[in-house]
Amino acid sequence: MCSGCGLSCIVLCVFFQEAGKKHHHLDVNTLRGHTDCVTALDFSSDACNLATVCADGVVRVFRIDDASSKSFKILKINLPAGAHPTAIAYSEGSSSVVVAAQALLGSSLYMYADVGAPPTGGNKQQGKLSPPEIKWDHKKIHGKESVLNLAAARATHGTGDGSTIVISCSEATDIKIWHGKSGKELGTVDTNQLKNNMADISPNGRFIAAAAFTADVKVWEIVYSKDSSVKEVHRVMQLKGHKSAVTSLCFTPDSEKIITASKDGTIRVWNINVRYHLDEDPKTLRVLPVPLHDSKGSTCLYEHMGISPDGKVLAVTSGSTLQWLCAETGVVLDTAEKAHEGAISGIAWAPRTIPNDLALELLGTCLG
């Protein structure tokens, strides 16, 4: 196993197309209450709440005080009639969420404030609070195209004031940048790569990267003015090296590297902390083989990936399989095959350790 890589420090929650039974030693719990497919999820910055969106048109916010609890307080938010949610991201820490939803006329964004679920064990009357209202919304943000994913980060680079920046990635080729609190559109970039697979924003709110139809990954920089407003968004580099389309990617916690997975059967780790303004190209630090294969021996495609807050463990999914890899070497730390009957629709790392009754067991069985 890889030295320094362990699975006990952070709780990773995974949501599948349907509710499933516990069958893996890392399976801590199942959050129930959805009546249809769960399409996306996100943790609040304090890890106390987990927000999910479901094909039944309802946003559910679970209060996670103890991951192994038998029951959780839930706040339910009904989306406007006819809205089918496809993505969700927390905005402004733990107080609000931005939801992307698809309707007949196109995709929309809705921002709900004061979405924290009532604390577990609190006054029962707290569960009867009025549902949050829509603070801002935008219609047909990507024409008739659906939103593949949302990603959010606090603008802490340069003169950024710490406000949350949200990006929406369409299934076409455009990506839009939004101010999380005000809803103001801050810019648009276009991959010009036939169709997008997904996009991400660096944790410091500086870079945007997109995985699209071609083998190259384009990276843009958000430049902030002295007054902390967004001055411009421009392309600064292109990651060249993969031989086929990139299916998923993520930034490392320090915002200095990007990890990509491609149909060519490799994972690449890139150093983007370069002097691009002096034409210095990003560097490939490591090329790792995708270690997952199907029954015929063919290399599987990683559809989702996310790195632990300490940067040591990479979580990846392919169909209904979940894997944990050492981010440094690509060594497989653990695998949950057929984690559910349906394909995994999203993964999210908790930003900090969540208490659970199985902590000692996890520490004893999951360290690398």
Side-chain angles (χ1 to χ4, degrees):
M1 299 293 281
C2 176
S3 175
C5 290
L7 298 181
S8 63
C9 57
I10 303 290
V11 174
L12 173 69
C13 280
V14 184
F15 275 79
F16 310 95
Q17 297 293 344
E18 303 169 358
K21 295 182 179 180
K22 180 176 179 179
H23 66 282
H24 190 274
H25 67 101
L26 292 181
D27 184 357
V28 175
N29 212 332
T30 298
L31 304 185
R32 304 183 185 278
H34 306 94
T35 62
D36 209 327
C37 301
V38 178
T39 54
L41 74 165
D42 194 26
F43 274 103
S44 60
S45 60
D46 60 6
C48 291
N49 293 292
L50 180 65
T52 67
V53 287
C54 180
D56 61 9
V58 179
V59 178
R60 292 172 175 83
V61 181
F62 294 84
R63 179 76 183 190
I64 312 292
D65 293 314
D66 182 347
S68 57
S69 175
K70 293 183 179 180
S71 63
F72 299 91
K73 293 290 183 69
I74 306 174
L75 174 67
K76 296 183 180 180
I77 307 170
N78 294 312
L79 291 173
H84 302 282
T86 60
I88 190 168
Y90 265 92
S91 177
E92 302 305 309
S94 306
S95 61
S96 59
V97 292
V98 177
V99 181
Q102 184 71 11
L104 290 176
L105 297 179
S107 53
S108 300
L109 282 185
Y110 303 97
M111 193 276 256
Y112 295 89
D114 303 320
V115 298
T120 301
N123 191 318
K124 293 184 178 180
Q125 294 299 318
Q126 289 179 313
K128 298 181 180 180
L129 295 174
S130 300
E133 297 180 353
I134 297 174
K135 295 300 182 181
W136 58 258
D137 66 317
H138 293 286
K139 302 293 194 300
K140 299 179 66 174
I141 59 172
H142 294 287
K144 292 186 177 182
E145 305 297 333
S146 177
V147 172
L148 294 174
N149 77 288
L150 296 175
R154 294 180 60 232
T156 58
H157 177 74
T159 55
D161 61 1
S163 297
T164 300
I165 304 297
V166 179
I167 65 169
S168 60
C169 176
S170 83
E171 61 184 355
T173 61
D174 58 321
I175 301 167
K176 288 185 179 291
I177 302 99
W178 311 86
H179 189 279
K181 186 174 183 178
S182 69
K184 180 181 179 181
E185 183 177 341
L186 303 176
T188 302
V189 297
D190 198 314
T191 61
N192 293 308
Q193 292 172 291
L194 295 181
K195 68 183 185 71
N196 296 330
N197 288 327
M198 56 82 65
D200 197 13
I201 184 170
S202 61
N204 63 1
R206 181 184 183 185
F207 295 115
I208 297 170
F213 185 77
T214 69
D216 298 339
V217 172
K218 296 179 180 179
V219 182
W220 295 264
E221 182 181 20
I222 302 175
V223 180
Y224 299 94
S225 301
K226 291 183 179 180
D227 62 359
S228 299
S229 62
V230 172
K231 180 180 179 180
E232 63 178 332
V233 183
H234 62 111
R235 200 176 83 185
V236 292
M237 62 187 91
Q238 194 160 329
L239 311 183
K240 293 178 174 289
H242 282 298
K243 298 177 181 179
S244 189
V246 174
T247 55
S248 58
L249 59 80
C250 66
F251 287 90
T252 55
D254 60 8
S255 299
E256 295 183 355
K257 303 178 188 68
I258 295 177
I259 304 175
T260 57
S262 168
K263 288 183 178 180
D264 64 12
T266 66
I267 299 169
R268 284 178 176 257
V269 182
W270 310 79
N271 176 26
I272 60 170
N273 185 24
V274 297
R275 296 171 295 179
Y276 58 82
H277 55 283
L278 298 178
D279 295 326
E280 183 179 353
D281 293 327
K283 299 176 178 62
T284 299
L285 299 178
R286 291 180 292 281
V287 180
L288 309 170
V290 171
L292 186 64
H293 299 83
D294 61 22
S295 58
K296 297 181 180 179
S298 300
T299 303
C300 295
L301 303 180
Y302 284 149
E303 296 144 355
H304 304 281
M305 70 162 52
I307 194 166
S308 60
D310 62 7
K312 294 181 179 181
V313 181
L314 185 68
V316 289
T317 75
S318 178
S320 61
T321 298
L322 169 66
Q323 274 193 323
W324 293 266
L325 310 178
C326 177
E328 181 70 23
T329 66
V331 169
V332 177
L333 302 175
D334 213 322
T335 301
E337 295 182 352
K338 295 183 179 178
H340 194 62
E341 296 176 358
I344 297 172
S345 57
I347 59 176
W349 283 96
R352 65 169 179 82
T353 302
I354 299 176
N356 69 88
D357 292 341
L358 304 178
L360 291 178
E361 178 184 345
L362 287 172
L363 179 63
T365 60
C366 303
L367 282 177

